Structure formats: structure tokens, C-alpha cells
Amino acid sequence: MDAYQSVGIRRRMRRFFRRDGRALIFAMDHGFEHGPTDFEEHWEHVNPRIILRKVVRAGIDGVMMLPGLVRMAGDEVKPNVGLMIKLTSKTNLRPKDDQLLQSQLGYVEDAIKLGADAVAATVYWGSPQEDVMMRQFAEIASYAHDLGFPVVQFAYPRGPYINEKYGRKEDYRVVMYGARAAVESGADMIKTYWTGSRESFAKVVDAAAGVPVLLSGGAKAENPVDFLNLVWEVIEAGGAGAVVGRNIFQRENPEPFIKALLRVVHRNEDPEEAAKAEGLL
Ligand SMILES: O=P(O)(O)OC[C@H]1O[C@](O)(COP(=O)(O)O)[C@@H](O)[C@@H]1O
């Protein structure tokens, strides 16, 4: 017989992933991590209720937020949508060198009180502060697992030695290392960077050894088809989907774009066809 916790983790994972094992998740921690200027392109989306209503209506599989936004607007996240609560963060106002650290801003108990289906934490692998984030992640993961909650790691390698040795944090050897470190530290889902090609991203997926790998969306692509193509490559590489923020809330009309993304993620549709079907072309 399975331990109760294992059943809980499996059930909660299914609130994000459909039968195909894939998920499209909306990220909205930018007001904290980047500052409200991220919303200036479509200022009405600074209001969490307005943007959440749109993404939920479009059929998103899950939503990721920090605890305070869930408190304000979590009731917009309908019961059939997975709720991921991130328990670490940092502001962009910190001195540059201190931005290689995410600090704890919420606890597993808060996530439970708020009705979360998963908790998340960032580790900047390779940061001079890696040790702090490793411990933070270990504490969150150990406690969350005890209580039957899946734990998501935003495995974001970054730091001076990475730049010196590999030139860029998106080098597949670096991203793959972060994904593997996430697995070995107990993550149930991994969110990480695009490595630039399907072949190299497939290696990241291999290194994750069966733990689902989700793309971290990144800056908005002006042409929506470019982003649909990127997500298509992720799926072709064996990725489990994407966690997308700016590419959704920085669009005036995110609903058809989300629907097109869902076609690519769940139906393997050709990106251009998906864009046409949703009236984006
Ligand atoms: O790379 P940065 O600037 O630290 O971005 C971190 C942001 O990217 C995300 O991980 C994903 O959101 P995006 O799709 O907008 O990139 C957010 O959760 C987070 O706020």
C-alpha cells in the first residue's frame, strides 16, 4: 500500500497535468520579482482579478503566484485549475550582487491555508548564495512531501562562475546541470530555461530522468507565432509544457493566445495552424 503522502502528491500533480502528462501554467509573481512596470504594456493586467479571469476562461491548466496575491484574488482560480504557490522570491530593488539569492517569503503552512495544490521555490544553482537556497529548498520540500504536496523547483542556474566557464546561463550543459540538481534535491516538477535547440533541450529532459520539465517563458516575443514555435520545440524535445508570464499578460488579448498555446501543448498542433485557428493570423 502507498503511504498517504504519495497518494496526495500524485493526486495534486494531476491538477496541473492532463492525461497526456503536459501542462500550461500561468506565472504571475512579476509585480514582486520585476516590479509593477512589467504590467505597463497592458496596465489593466496589474489587477490580478482581471488577468486571472481571462487566463482561467481561456482554459489554462494551472496558475503560479506568491501567497499575498492568492489571498487577494485566489478565488478567481476555479477548482479545476491547479494552484501553485511560490514560497521564495526577491525584488529587483536589491543591490545587483544580492539578486543571486531568493529569500523565503511564505511557508508551507501558508500554502495549505490558501488551498495550494503545489508549492514552489527557486534555486539559483551556481550562485555564491547557492547554499542558502539549497537549504531553503530542502526544508520546504521535506515538509511539503510529508504533507502530500508536490514541490516545484525553479532551477535557474546563474552566477559569476557560470558566466566565466560557459559564457551563458542558457548553455545546455548548465541548464541540464540545474535540472539534474533539481531532481537530486527532490523536485517533482522543474521549471527552467530554453537552451536554444530541440536537441539540447532533449538532453535537459533526459537529465531530469522522468521528472517533468517545464519551460520558463521569458521575455515577450512580439510575434505570437515565434513563441508558439518555441513551445512546440519544447514539446517535441519531450518537455512537459511551459510556465508563462509575460508572454501572456503583456498581450492586449491573451485569451486566443492561450488557446493557441493549449493546442500546441496538448494536441501537438502545428504552431501556425494553431495561431490561425484562434484568429491570431
Ligand atoms: O529571469 P528573471 O528575470 O529572474 O525572471 C523571473 C520571472 O520569470 C518567471 O520565472 C516566468 O515568467 P516569464 O514567462 O514572464 O519569464 C516568473 O515566475 C519570474 O517572475
Side-chain angles (χ1 to χ4, degrees):
M1 292 286 267
D2 285 335
Y4 285 1
Q5 298 96 315
S6 311
V7 177
I9 291 171
R10 273 205 306 275
R11 281 180 58 80
R12 292 189 172 95
M13 289 285 276
R14 285 209 299 269
R15 295 185 190 145
F16 298 92
F17 294 99
R18 297 193 191 171
R19 282 178 185 281
D20 56 12
R22 298 180 192 156
L24 179 68
I25 297 168
F26 174 58
M28 202 196 184
D29 57 349
H30 302 66
F32 195 101
E33 289 218 358
H34 293 171
T37 46
D38 258 22
F39 296 98
E40 277 181 339
E41 240 172 278
H42 291 290
W43 188 238
E44 67 165 0
H45 293 161
V46 78
N47 180 332
R49 286 194 178 276
I50 291 180
I51 183 67
L52 283 172
R53 217 164 278 164
K54 292 182 186 177
V55 299
V56 169
R57 205 160 49 204
I60 204 94
D61 298 314
V63 166
M64 183 281 293
M65 291 186 287
L66 297 176
L69 270 204
V70 180
R71 180 189 201 181
M72 287 173 60
D75 52 328
E76 298 291 345
V77 183
K78 303 296 174 233
N80 62 334
V81 177
L83 176 62
M84 184 186 295
I85 301 190
K86 188 158 173 263
L87 300 177
T88 67
S89 201
K90 67 140 204 288
T91 70
N92 239 338
L93 300 172
R94 282 184 179 178
K96 198 89 187 121
D97 282 349
D98 297 338
Q99 294 203 20
L100 289 172
L101 170 69
Q102 290 239 340
S103 311
Q104 189 146 2
L105 57 47
Y107 296 88
V108 174
E109 289 89 339
D110 299 325
I112 295 170
K113 289 176 208 164
L114 290 162
D117 300 306
V119 294
T122 297
V123 180
Y124 294 140
W125 296 107
S127 156
Q129 316 260 33
E130 181 189 80
D131 172 62
V132 176
M133 287 171 282
M134 270 171 75
R135 285 166 199 264
Q136 205 164 252
F137 185 81
E139 274 170 28
I140 290 171
S142 170
Y143 191 32
H145 284 155
D146 267 352
L147 297 170
F149 281 81
V151 181
V152 188
Q153 187 177 117
F154 293 15
Y156 287 179
R158 51 180 78 168
Y161 186 56
I162 289 175
N163 298 338
E164 198 183 297
K165 188 168 175 193
Y166 298 94
R168 52 201 291 274
K169 64 184 182 359
E170 294 85 3
D171 184 303
Y172 86 91
R173 294 166 296 175
V174 175
V175 178
M176 173 168 92
Y177 199 155
R180 185 64 174 217
V183 173
E184 298 202 20
S185 53
D188 304 291
M189 299 181 218
I190 298 165
K191 171 173 179 272
T192 195
Y193 315 129
W194 175 238
T195 51
S197 73
R198 187 194 304 182
E199 294 69 29
S200 59
F201 202 78
K203 289 194 118 175
V204 176
V205 172
D206 288 343
V211 174
V213 178
L214 298 156
L215 171 78
S216 180
K220 180 185 161 196
E222 280 314 320
N223 181 349
V225 180
D226 288 347
F227 192 73
L228 292 171
N229 271 319
L230 169 59
V231 172
W232 191 77
E233 293 285 357
V234 167
I235 297 297
E236 289 294 307
V243 184
V244 184
R246 286 164 284 178
N247 270 284
I248 291 177
F249 67 70
Q250 289 182 348
R251 289 185 203 282
E252 187 178 358
N253 190 6
E255 286 177 69
F257 182 66
I258 293 170
K259 288 182 181 162
L261 274 173
L262 288 167
R263 285 174 180 270
V264 172
V265 170
H266 292 297
R267 298 196 214 160
N268 285 70
E269 267 190 37
D270 172 75
E272 249 186 68
E273 295 303 317
K276 275 188 202 143
E278 296 302 337
L280 296 171
L281 287 178

